Amino acid sequence: MPSLTTPMVPVARETPADQSLVESTFYVTVGIEVNQSLLPVAKGVTFRPAYLAVGVKVDQGGRLYGKPQRSGTFVATVQVCSGASCRQQDVTLVVLANVPWEPRELTFPGKAGTALSGEIGINGGPAGVVPTFTVTDHDKVPEGVSIGPDGQVGGVPAAPGISEVPVRICVAGNCAGVVVRLIIV
């Protein structure tokens, strides 16, 4: 416990050089155009353009672009700059082989006023990679129902009807659009 004569001084946290980015590991697929961005911890920073892997670069705005040409794990140093001062940050690009995948369970029956529970999921794809699911037209989702980024379909439908909800599924940058049917009686 501090004494009454010792002033309380707030401790400033220093951000180590290896923590200039919110996320520093990215999963992409050979031959699939990369469309991701580095998200810096601080505002107003720029990046020094650099190659991250064969076929993939980062631009001054932090946008990752290009098509990976070879699978493997690549670690590259990116410079995160604020004014004339730059810090180095390692970025890991995990480039996976293009392993085919397909969605499973795209139709979900339910009853108005009763809890709905299901999962979209995929068959195939690279081992250990978690797919992401994005509803691309939220107006098509029936009242009381949700489709999460993990593919979970749930909620309590408010009214009967058939809804066709467009969903984008991505597996390490290999994306496809599907239609999820909700049949509520």
Side-chain angles (χ1 to χ4, degrees):
M1 176 168 208
S3 71
L4 295 175
T5 58
T6 307
M8 295 284 291
V9 178
V11 178
R13 289 189 188 191
E14 291 185 29
T15 304
D18 64 346
Q19 292 188 3
S20 297
L21 300 173
V22 172
E23 182 178 359
S24 61
T25 301
F26 298 87
Y27 293 86
V28 296
T29 300
V30 169
I32 304 291
E33 188 73 32
V34 175
N35 184 21
Q36 296 188 37
S37 294
L38 300 177
L39 182 59
V41 173
K43 291 183 179 183
V45 301
T46 60
F47 299 88
R48 293 252 169 95
Y51 280 94
L52 298 180
V54 178
V56 180
K57 297 178 188 178
V58 62
D59 68 12
Q60 188 174 7
R63 185 179 68 91
L64 306 179
Y65 65 97
K67 286 184 184 178
Q69 303 299 310
R70 194 170 53 218
S71 61
T73 300
F74 303 90
V75 179
T77 302
V78 172
Q79 291 194 18
V80 182
C81 303
S82 179
S85 173
C86 293
R87 296 170 66 184
Q88 294 187 349
Q89 168 77 54
D90 283 343
V91 173
T92 303
L93 199 64
V94 180
V95 182
L96 302 164
N98 194 340
V99 179
W101 61 269
E102 63 184 9
R104 72 170 188 256
E105 301 305 322
L106 294 176
T107 302
F108 298 93
K111 186 175 181 181
T114 303
L116 178 66
S117 180
E119 179 182 16
I120 299 170
I122 65 163
N123 290 325
V129 176
V130 178
T132 59
F133 304 83
T134 306
V135 173
T136 58
D137 186 349
H138 291 280
D139 292 338
K140 304 260 180 165
V141 180
E143 184 181 343
V145 176
S146 66
I147 298 174
D150 57 356
Q152 295 295 315
V153 179
V156 178
I162 297 175
S163 301
E164 294 187 339
V165 182
V167 174
R168 183 171 172 84
I169 304 173
C170 292
V171 182
N174 186 357
C175 301
V178 299
V179 175
V180 173
R181 290 189 86 195
L182 301 165
I183 303 171
I184 309 302
V185 293

Short mmCIF file of all heavy atoms in Angstrom, two decimals, residues 23-87:
data_model
loop_
_atom_site.label_atom_id
_atom_site.label_comp_id
_atom_site.label_asym_id
_atom_site.label_seq_id
_atom_site.Cartn_x
_atom_site.Cartn_y
_atom_site.Cartn_z
N GLU A 23 -3.50 -7.42 -35.57
CA GLU A 23 -3.34 -8.81 -35.97
C GLU A 23 -2.16 -8.88 -36.93
O GLU A 23 -2.02 -8.04 -37.81
CB GLU A 23 -4.61 -9.30 -36.68
CG GLU A 23 -4.56 -10.74 -37.09
CD GLU A 23 -5.86 -11.20 -37.75
OE1 GLU A 23 -6.79 -10.39 -37.87
OE2 GLU A 23 -5.90 -12.37 -38.16
N SER A 24 -1.30 -9.90 -36.75
CA SER A 24 -0.12 -9.97 -37.59
C SER A 24 -0.01 -11.29 -38.35
O SER A 24 0.98 -11.52 -39.04
CB SER A 24 1.14 -9.75 -36.76
OG SER A 24 1.25 -10.75 -35.76
N THR A 25 -1.00 -12.17 -38.25
CA THR A 25 -1.00 -13.44 -38.98
C THR A 25 -2.22 -13.48 -39.89
O THR A 25 -3.34 -13.24 -39.43
CB THR A 25 -1.01 -14.64 -38.01
OG1 THR A 25 0.14 -14.56 -37.16
CG2 THR A 25 -0.98 -15.96 -38.77
N PHE A 26 -1.98 -13.81 -41.16
CA PHE A 26 -3.05 -13.85 -42.15
C PHE A 26 -3.01 -15.19 -42.88
O PHE A 26 -1.93 -15.68 -43.23
CB PHE A 26 -2.90 -12.71 -43.16
CG PHE A 26 -2.98 -11.35 -42.52
CD1 PHE A 26 -1.86 -10.74 -41.99
CD2 PHE A 26 -4.20 -10.72 -42.41
CE1 PHE A 26 -1.94 -9.51 -41.37
CE2 PHE A 26 -4.30 -9.47 -41.79
CZ PHE A 26 -3.16 -8.87 -41.28
N TYR A 27 -4.18 -15.77 -43.12
CA TYR A 27 -4.31 -17.04 -43.83
C TYR A 27 -4.89 -16.76 -45.21
O TYR A 27 -5.95 -16.14 -45.32
CB TYR A 27 -5.23 -17.99 -43.06
CG TYR A 27 -4.62 -18.42 -41.75
CD1 TYR A 27 -4.78 -17.65 -40.60
CD2 TYR A 27 -3.88 -19.59 -41.67
CE1 TYR A 27 -4.21 -18.03 -39.40
CE2 TYR A 27 -3.30 -19.98 -40.47
CZ TYR A 27 -3.47 -19.19 -39.34
OH TYR A 27 -2.89 -19.57 -38.16
N VAL A 28 -4.18 -17.20 -46.24
CA VAL A 28 -4.61 -16.99 -47.62
C VAL A 28 -4.42 -18.29 -48.39
O VAL A 28 -3.85 -19.25 -47.87
CB VAL A 28 -3.83 -15.83 -48.27
CG1 VAL A 28 -4.12 -14.51 -47.56
CG2 VAL A 28 -2.34 -16.09 -48.28
N THR A 29 -4.90 -18.32 -49.64
CA THR A 29 -4.86 -19.52 -50.45
C THR A 29 -4.10 -19.27 -51.75
O THR A 29 -4.26 -18.21 -52.36
CB THR A 29 -6.30 -19.98 -50.77
OG1 THR A 29 -6.98 -20.24 -49.52
CG2 THR A 29 -6.32 -21.23 -51.61
N VAL A 30 -3.30 -20.24 -52.15
CA VAL A 30 -2.54 -20.15 -53.41
C VAL A 30 -3.50 -19.86 -54.56
O VAL A 30 -4.54 -20.49 -54.70
CB VAL A 30 -1.78 -21.48 -53.69
CG1 VAL A 30 -1.21 -21.49 -55.10
CG2 VAL A 30 -0.69 -21.69 -52.68
N GLY A 31 -3.15 -18.85 -55.38
CA GLY A 31 -3.91 -18.53 -56.58
C GLY A 31 -5.16 -17.72 -56.36
O GLY A 31 -5.83 -17.34 -57.32
N ILE A 32 -5.53 -17.40 -55.12
CA ILE A 32 -6.73 -16.62 -54.83
C ILE A 32 -6.29 -15.19 -54.47
O ILE A 32 -5.44 -15.00 -53.60
CB ILE A 32 -7.54 -17.23 -53.65
CG1 ILE A 32 -7.91 -18.67 -53.91
CG2 ILE A 32 -8.76 -16.37 -53.35
CD1 ILE A 32 -8.93 -18.89 -54.99
N GLU A 33 -6.88 -14.21 -55.14
CA GLU A 33 -6.54 -12.80 -54.91
C GLU A 33 -6.71 -12.44 -53.44
O GLU A 33 -7.73 -12.73 -52.82
CB GLU A 33 -7.46 -11.91 -55.76
CG GLU A 33 -7.08 -10.46 -55.77
CD GLU A 33 -5.83 -10.16 -56.57
OE1 GLU A 33 -5.57 -10.85 -57.58
OE2 GLU A 33 -5.10 -9.22 -56.19
N VAL A 34 -5.69 -11.80 -52.86
CA VAL A 34 -5.71 -11.39 -51.46
C VAL A 34 -6.39 -10.02 -51.37
O VAL A 34 -6.10 -9.13 -52.16
CB VAL A 34 -4.28 -11.30 -50.89
CG1 VAL A 34 -4.29 -10.75 -49.47
CG2 VAL A 34 -3.60 -12.66 -50.93
N ASN A 35 -7.30 -9.88 -50.41
CA ASN A 35 -8.00 -8.62 -50.20
C ASN A 35 -8.16 -8.42 -48.70
O ASN A 35 -9.24 -8.58 -48.16
CB ASN A 35 -9.35 -8.62 -50.91
CG ASN A 35 -10.05 -7.28 -50.80
OD1 ASN A 35 -9.41 -6.27 -50.55
ND2 ASN A 35 -11.35 -7.28 -50.98
N GLN A 36 -7.04 -8.11 -48.04
CA GLN A 36 -7.05 -7.88 -46.60
C GLN A 36 -6.23 -6.64 -46.30
O GLN A 36 -5.52 -6.14 -47.16
CB GLN A 36 -6.48 -9.09 -45.87
CG GLN A 36 -7.32 -10.34 -46.05
CD GLN A 36 -6.85 -11.48 -45.17
OE1 GLN A 36 -6.43 -11.28 -44.05
NE2 GLN A 36 -6.93 -12.69 -45.71
N SER A 37 -6.32 -6.16 -45.08
CA SER A 37 -5.56 -4.97 -44.69
C SER A 37 -4.94 -5.15 -43.33
O SER A 37 -5.51 -5.82 -42.46
CB SER A 37 -6.48 -3.73 -44.65
OG SER A 37 -6.94 -3.42 -45.94
N LEU A 38 -3.78 -4.53 -43.15
CA LEU A 38 -3.15 -4.47 -41.84
C LEU A 38 -3.90 -3.44 -41.02
O LEU A 38 -4.26 -2.38 -41.53
CB LEU A 38 -1.68 -4.06 -41.98
CG LEU A 38 -0.79 -4.98 -42.82
CD1 LEU A 38 0.62 -4.39 -42.91
CD2 LEU A 38 -0.75 -6.37 -42.24
N LEU A 39 -4.16 -3.75 -39.77
CA LEU A 39 -4.87 -2.84 -38.88
C LEU A 39 -3.90 -2.39 -37.79
O LEU A 39 -3.57 -3.15 -36.88
CB LEU A 39 -6.09 -3.53 -38.27
CG LEU A 39 -6.97 -2.71 -37.36
CD1 LEU A 39 -7.52 -1.49 -38.10
CD2 LEU A 39 -8.11 -3.55 -36.82
N PRO A 40 -3.41 -1.13 -37.89
CA PRO A 40 -2.43 -0.66 -36.92
C PRO A 40 -3.08 -0.33 -35.57
O PRO A 40 -4.26 -0.02 -35.50
CB PRO A 40 -1.87 0.61 -37.57
CG PRO A 40 -2.96 1.08 -38.47
CD PRO A 40 -3.70 -0.16 -38.93
N VAL A 41 -2.28 -0.39 -34.52
CA VAL A 41 -2.73 -0.04 -33.17
C VAL A 41 -2.92 1.47 -33.07
O VAL A 41 -3.87 1.94 -32.47
CB VAL A 41 -1.72 -0.54 -32.12
CG1 VAL A 41 -2.07 -0.04 -30.73
CG2 VAL A 41 -1.64 -2.06 -32.13
N ALA A 42 -2.03 2.24 -33.70
CA ALA A 42 -2.09 3.71 -33.63
C ALA A 42 -2.78 4.27 -34.88
O ALA A 42 -2.78 3.65 -35.93
CB ALA A 42 -0.68 4.27 -33.52
N LYS A 43 -3.32 5.48 -34.74
CA LYS A 43 -3.95 6.16 -35.87
C LYS A 43 -2.91 6.93 -36.68
O LYS A 43 -1.88 7.32 -36.16
CB LYS A 43 -5.02 7.14 -35.38
CG LYS A 43 -6.22 6.48 -34.78
CD LYS A 43 -7.26 7.51 -34.39
CE LYS A 43 -8.49 6.83 -33.81
NZ LYS A 43 -9.53 7.80 -33.48
N GLY A 44 -3.23 7.16 -37.95
CA GLY A 44 -2.41 8.02 -38.79
C GLY A 44 -1.08 7.45 -39.22
O GLY A 44 -0.18 8.21 -39.57
N VAL A 45 -0.91 6.14 -39.20
CA VAL A 45 0.35 5.55 -39.62
C VAL A 45 0.31 5.18 -41.10
O VAL A 45 -0.76 5.04 -41.69
CB VAL A 45 0.73 4.31 -38.78
CG1 VAL A 45 0.84 4.66 -37.31
CG2 VAL A 45 -0.24 3.18 -39.00
N THR A 46 1.49 5.03 -41.67
CA THR A 46 1.63 4.54 -43.03
C THR A 46 2.56 3.34 -42.99
O THR A 46 3.18 3.05 -41.96
CB THR A 46 2.21 5.62 -43.96
OG1 THR A 46 3.50 6.02 -43.48
CG2 THR A 46 1.29 6.82 -44.07
N PHE A 47 2.64 2.66 -44.09
CA PHE A 47 3.49 1.47 -44.18
C PHE A 47 4.47 1.65 -45.32
O PHE A 47 4.15 2.29 -46.33
CB PHE A 47 2.63 0.22 -44.43
CG PHE A 47 1.64 -0.04 -43.33
CD1 PHE A 47 0.38 0.55 -43.34
CD2 PHE A 47 1.98 -0.85 -42.26
CE1 PHE A 47 -0.52 0.32 -42.32
CE2 PHE A 47 1.08 -1.07 -41.23
CZ PHE A 47 -0.17 -0.49 -41.26
N ARG A 48 5.64 1.10 -45.18
CA ARG A 48 6.59 1.09 -46.29
C ARG A 48 6.23 -0.12 -47.15
O ARG A 48 6.16 -1.25 -46.65
CB ARG A 48 8.03 0.95 -45.79
CG ARG A 48 8.50 2.16 -45.01
CD ARG A 48 9.50 2.99 -45.80
NE ARG A 48 9.77 4.26 -45.18
CZ ARG A 48 10.77 4.49 -44.35
NH1 ARG A 48 11.61 3.54 -44.05
NH2 ARG A 48 10.93 5.70 -43.86
N PRO A 49 5.96 0.10 -48.44
CA PRO A 49 5.59 -1.02 -49.31
C PRO A 49 6.66 -2.12 -49.26
O PRO A 49 7.85 -1.84 -49.18
CB PRO A 49 5.52 -0.37 -50.70
CG PRO A 49 5.20 1.07 -50.41
CD PRO A 49 5.95 1.38 -49.14
N ALA A 50 6.20 -3.38 -49.28
CA ALA A 50 7.12 -4.51 -49.18
C ALA A 50 6.46 -5.77 -49.72
O ALA A 50 5.24 -5.85 -49.82
CB ALA A 50 7.51 -4.72 -47.72
N TYR A 51 7.28 -6.76 -50.05
CA TYR A 51 6.80 -8.09 -50.41
C TYR A 51 6.61 -8.89 -49.13
O TYR A 51 7.46 -8.84 -48.24
CB TYR A 51 7.80 -8.83 -51.30
CG TYR A 51 7.75 -8.41 -52.74
CD1 TYR A 51 8.60 -7.43 -53.23
CD2 TYR A 51 6.84 -8.99 -53.61
CE1 TYR A 51 8.55 -7.03 -54.55
CE2 TYR A 51 6.78 -8.60 -54.94
CZ TYR A 51 7.64 -7.62 -55.40
OH TYR A 51 7.58 -7.23 -56.71
N LEU A 52 5.51 -9.62 -49.03
CA LEU A 52 5.27 -10.48 -47.88
C LEU A 52 5.53 -11.94 -48.21
O LEU A 52 5.94 -12.71 -47.36
CB LEU A 52 3.83 -10.31 -47.38
CG LEU A 52 3.46 -8.91 -46.90
CD1 LEU A 52 2.01 -8.89 -46.44
CD2 LEU A 52 4.37 -8.44 -45.80
N ALA A 53 5.22 -12.31 -49.44
CA ALA A 53 5.43 -13.68 -49.92
C ALA A 53 5.44 -13.60 -51.45
O ALA A 53 5.10 -12.55 -52.01
CB ALA A 53 4.32 -14.61 -49.44
N VAL A 54 5.80 -14.68 -52.11
CA VAL A 54 5.82 -14.67 -53.57
C VAL A 54 4.42 -14.35 -54.09
O VAL A 54 3.47 -15.09 -53.85
CB VAL A 54 6.31 -16.03 -54.11
CG1 VAL A 54 6.28 -16.04 -55.63
CG2 VAL A 54 7.70 -16.35 -53.59
N GLY A 55 4.30 -13.19 -54.75
CA GLY A 55 3.03 -12.77 -55.33
C GLY A 55 2.18 -11.88 -54.44
O GLY A 55 1.13 -11.42 -54.85
N VAL A 56 2.60 -11.61 -53.19
CA VAL A 56 1.80 -10.80 -52.27
C VAL A 56 2.64 -9.64 -51.73
O VAL A 56 3.75 -9.83 -51.25
CB VAL A 56 1.26 -11.64 -51.09
CG1 VAL A 56 0.42 -10.77 -50.15
CG2 VAL A 56 0.45 -12.81 -51.58
N LYS A 57 2.06 -8.43 -51.80
CA LYS A 57 2.72 -7.22 -51.32
C LYS A 57 1.80 -6.49 -50.34
O LYS A 57 0.62 -6.77 -50.27
CB LYS A 57 3.00 -6.28 -52.49
CG LYS A 57 3.93 -6.81 -53.54
CD LYS A 57 4.07 -5.78 -54.66
CE LYS A 57 4.84 -6.34 -55.82
NZ LYS A 57 4.95 -5.36 -56.92
N VAL A 58 2.39 -5.53 -49.63
CA VAL A 58 1.63 -4.60 -48.81
C VAL A 58 1.92 -3.20 -49.35
O VAL A 58 3.07 -2.90 -49.70
CB VAL A 58 1.98 -4.72 -47.30
CG1 VAL A 58 3.43 -4.40 -47.02
CG2 VAL A 58 1.07 -3.84 -46.45
N ASP A 59 0.88 -2.36 -49.47
CA ASP A 59 1.10 -1.01 -49.98
C ASP A 59 1.19 -0.01 -48.82
O ASP A 59 1.11 -0.39 -47.65
CB ASP A 59 0.02 -0.62 -51.00
CG ASP A 59 -1.37 -0.44 -50.40
OD1 ASP A 59 -1.52 -0.39 -49.16
OD2 ASP A 59 -2.34 -0.37 -51.18
N GLN A 60 1.35 1.27 -49.15
CA GLN A 60 1.54 2.32 -48.16
C GLN A 60 0.35 2.46 -47.20
O GLN A 60 0.50 2.85 -46.06
CB GLN A 60 1.81 3.65 -48.86
CG GLN A 60 2.21 4.74 -47.91
CD GLN A 60 2.61 6.02 -48.63
OE1 GLN A 60 2.47 6.13 -49.84
NE2 GLN A 60 3.10 6.98 -47.89
N GLY A 61 -0.84 2.09 -47.68
CA GLY A 61 -2.03 2.16 -46.83
C GLY A 61 -2.26 0.92 -45.98
O GLY A 61 -3.20 0.85 -45.21
N GLY A 62 -1.39 -0.09 -46.12
CA GLY A 62 -1.52 -1.32 -45.33
C GLY A 62 -2.37 -2.39 -46.01
O GLY A 62 -2.67 -3.40 -45.40
N ARG A 63 -2.72 -2.17 -47.27
CA ARG A 63 -3.53 -3.15 -48.00
C ARG A 63 -2.65 -4.28 -48.50
O ARG A 63 -1.62 -4.04 -49.13
CB ARG A 63 -4.24 -2.48 -49.17
CG ARG A 63 -5.21 -3.40 -49.92
CD ARG A 63 -5.91 -2.66 -51.05
NE ARG A 63 -5.01 -2.30 -52.12
CZ ARG A 63 -4.77 -3.07 -53.19
NH1 ARG A 63 -5.36 -4.24 -53.31
NH2 ARG A 63 -3.94 -2.67 -54.13
N LEU A 64 -3.05 -5.52 -48.22
CA LEU A 64 -2.37 -6.70 -48.76
C LEU A 64 -3.02 -7.00 -50.10
O LEU A 64 -4.24 -7.06 -50.19
CB LEU A 64 -2.53 -7.90 -47.83
CG LEU A 64 -2.11 -7.71 -46.37
CD1 LEU A 64 -2.35 -8.99 -45.59
CD2 LEU A 64 -0.67 -7.30 -46.26
N TYR A 65 -2.19 -7.22 -51.13
CA TYR A 65 -2.76 -7.49 -52.44
C TYR A 65 -1.86 -8.43 -53.23
O TYR A 65 -0.70 -8.62 -52.90
CB TYR A 65 -2.99 -6.18 -53.21
CG TYR A 65 -1.73 -5.43 -53.55
CD1 TYR A 65 -1.14 -5.58 -54.82
CD2 TYR A 65 -1.12 -4.60 -52.63
CE1 TYR A 65 0.02 -4.90 -55.14
CE2 TYR A 65 0.04 -3.91 -52.95
CZ TYR A 65 0.60 -4.07 -54.20
OH TYR A 65 1.76 -3.40 -54.51
N GLY A 66 -2.44 -9.01 -54.27
CA GLY A 66 -1.72 -9.94 -55.13
C GLY A 66 -2.30 -11.34 -55.00
O GLY A 66 -3.27 -11.57 -54.28
N LYS A 67 -1.67 -12.30 -55.72
CA LYS A 67 -2.07 -13.70 -55.65
C LYS A 67 -0.89 -14.52 -55.19
O LYS A 67 0.15 -14.55 -55.85
CB LYS A 67 -2.51 -14.21 -57.03
CG LYS A 67 -3.84 -13.71 -57.49
CD LYS A 67 -4.22 -14.35 -58.80
CE LYS A 67 -5.54 -13.78 -59.31
NZ LYS A 67 -5.91 -14.35 -60.60
N PRO A 68 -1.02 -15.21 -54.06
CA PRO A 68 0.08 -16.05 -53.59
C PRO A 68 0.40 -17.13 -54.62
O PRO A 68 -0.50 -17.73 -55.20
CB PRO A 68 -0.45 -16.67 -52.30
CG PRO A 68 -1.67 -15.91 -51.95
CD PRO A 68 -2.18 -15.26 -53.18
N GLN A 69 1.68 -17.36 -54.84
CA GLN A 69 2.10 -18.32 -55.86
C GLN A 69 2.58 -19.65 -55.30
O GLN A 69 2.65 -20.63 -56.03
CB GLN A 69 3.25 -17.70 -56.69
CG GLN A 69 2.86 -16.39 -57.35
CD GLN A 69 1.71 -16.54 -58.31
OE1 GLN A 69 1.71 -17.42 -59.16
NE2 GLN A 69 0.70 -15.70 -58.17
N ARG A 70 2.91 -19.67 -54.01
CA ARG A 70 3.49 -20.88 -53.43
C ARG A 70 3.00 -21.05 -52.00
O ARG A 70 2.93 -20.08 -51.24
CB ARG A 70 5.02 -20.73 -53.45
CG ARG A 70 5.78 -21.98 -53.21
CD ARG A 70 7.27 -21.81 -53.47
NE ARG A 70 7.83 -20.69 -52.74
CZ ARG A 70 8.75 -19.88 -53.24
NH1 ARG A 70 9.21 -20.05 -54.44
NH2 ARG A 70 9.23 -18.90 -52.50
N SER A 71 2.65 -22.29 -51.63
CA SER A 71 2.18 -22.52 -50.26
C SER A 71 3.36 -22.54 -49.30
O SER A 71 4.50 -22.79 -49.68
CB SER A 71 1.37 -23.82 -50.18
OG SER A 71 2.16 -24.92 -50.53
N GLY A 72 3.07 -22.25 -48.05
CA GLY A 72 4.09 -22.23 -47.00
C GLY A 72 3.77 -21.13 -46.01
O GLY A 72 2.79 -20.41 -46.14
N THR A 73 4.64 -21.00 -45.02
CA THR A 73 4.50 -19.95 -44.02
C THR A 73 5.62 -18.95 -44.25
O THR A 73 6.80 -19.33 -44.25
CB THR A 73 4.56 -20.52 -42.59
OG1 THR A 73 3.48 -21.44 -42.44
CG2 THR A 73 4.44 -19.42 -41.55
N PHE A 74 5.27 -17.70 -44.45
CA PHE A 74 6.23 -16.66 -44.77
C PHE A 74 6.16 -15.58 -43.69
O PHE A 74 5.09 -15.13 -43.34
CB PHE A 74 5.92 -16.04 -46.13
CG PHE A 74 5.90 -17.06 -47.24
CD1 PHE A 74 4.72 -17.72 -47.58
CD2 PHE A 74 7.06 -17.39 -47.92
CE1 PHE A 74 4.69 -18.67 -48.58
CE2 PHE A 74 7.04 -18.35 -48.93
CZ PHE A 74 5.86 -18.99 -49.26
N VAL A 75 7.32 -15.19 -43.17
CA VAL A 75 7.40 -14.11 -42.19
C VAL A 75 8.20 -12.99 -42.83
O VAL A 75 9.32 -13.20 -43.30
CB VAL A 75 8.08 -14.58 -40.89
CG1 VAL A 75 8.18 -13.42 -39.90
CG2 VAL A 75 7.32 -15.74 -40.27
N ALA A 76 7.60 -11.82 -42.89
CA ALA A 76 8.26 -10.65 -43.47
C ALA A 76 8.16 -9.49 -42.50
O ALA A 76 7.20 -9.39 -41.73
CB ALA A 76 7.60 -10.28 -44.80
N THR A 77 9.14 -8.64 -42.52
CA THR A 77 9.13 -7.46 -41.67
C THR A 77 8.52 -6.29 -42.43
O THR A 77 8.92 -6.00 -43.55
CB THR A 77 10.56 -7.11 -41.21
OG1 THR A 77 11.10 -8.24 -40.52
CG2 THR A 77 10.56 -5.91 -40.29
N VAL A 78 7.54 -5.66 -41.81
CA VAL A 78 6.86 -4.50 -42.38
C VAL A 78 7.23 -3.31 -41.52
O VAL A 78 7.31 -3.42 -40.29
CB VAL A 78 5.33 -4.72 -42.39
CG1 VAL A 78 4.60 -3.46 -42.79
CG2 VAL A 78 4.97 -5.87 -43.29
N GLN A 79 7.44 -2.16 -42.14
CA GLN A 79 7.73 -0.95 -41.39
C GLN A 79 6.45 -0.14 -41.24
O GLN A 79 5.80 0.21 -42.22
CB GLN A 79 8.82 -0.14 -42.07
CG GLN A 79 10.16 -0.84 -41.98
CD GLN A 79 11.30 0.07 -42.34
OE1 GLN A 79 11.17 1.30 -42.34
NE2 GLN A 79 12.45 -0.52 -42.62
N VAL A 80 6.10 0.14 -39.98
CA VAL A 80 4.92 0.92 -39.63
C VAL A 80 5.45 2.31 -39.25
O VAL A 80 6.20 2.43 -38.28
CB VAL A 80 4.14 0.28 -38.47
CG1 VAL A 80 2.90 1.08 -38.15
CG2 VAL A 80 3.80 -1.17 -38.78
N CYS A 81 5.07 3.34 -40.01
CA CYS A 81 5.67 4.67 -39.84
C CYS A 81 4.67 5.71 -39.37
O CYS A 81 3.53 5.74 -39.82
CB CYS A 81 6.28 5.13 -41.16
SG CYS A 81 7.52 3.98 -41.82
N SER A 82 5.14 6.57 -38.49
CA SER A 82 4.38 7.73 -38.03
C SER A 82 5.32 8.91 -38.20
O SER A 82 6.31 9.03 -37.47
CB SER A 82 3.98 7.55 -36.57
OG SER A 82 3.27 8.68 -36.13
N GLY A 83 5.06 9.73 -39.20
CA GLY A 83 5.98 10.82 -39.53
C GLY A 83 7.27 10.24 -40.08
O GLY A 83 7.26 9.38 -40.94
N ALA A 84 8.41 10.68 -39.53
CA ALA A 84 9.72 10.18 -39.99
C ALA A 84 10.17 8.96 -39.20
O ALA A 84 11.16 8.33 -39.54
CB ALA A 84 10.75 11.29 -39.87
N SER A 85 9.43 8.60 -38.16
CA SER A 85 9.80 7.48 -37.30
C SER A 85 9.09 6.20 -37.74
O SER A 85 7.87 6.20 -37.95
CB SER A 85 9.41 7.82 -35.86
OG SER A 85 9.60 6.71 -35.03
N CYS A 86 9.85 5.12 -37.87
CA CYS A 86 9.27 3.84 -38.28
C CYS A 86 9.61 2.76 -37.26
O CYS A 86 10.68 2.77 -36.66
CB CYS A 86 9.79 3.41 -39.65
SG CYS A 86 9.26 4.48 -41.00
N ARG A 87 8.67 1.84 -37.08
CA ARG A 87 8.88 0.67 -36.22
C ARG A 87 8.72 -0.57 -37.08
O ARG A 87 7.95 -0.57 -38.03
CB ARG A 87 7.84 0.66 -35.10
CG ARG A 87 7.98 1.84 -34.17
CD ARG A 87 6.82 1.96 -33.23
NE ARG A 87 6.78 0.85 -32.31
CZ ARG A 87 5.80 0.68 -31.42
NH1 ARG A 87 4.81 1.53 -31.37
NH2 ARG A 87 5.80 -0.35 -30.61
#
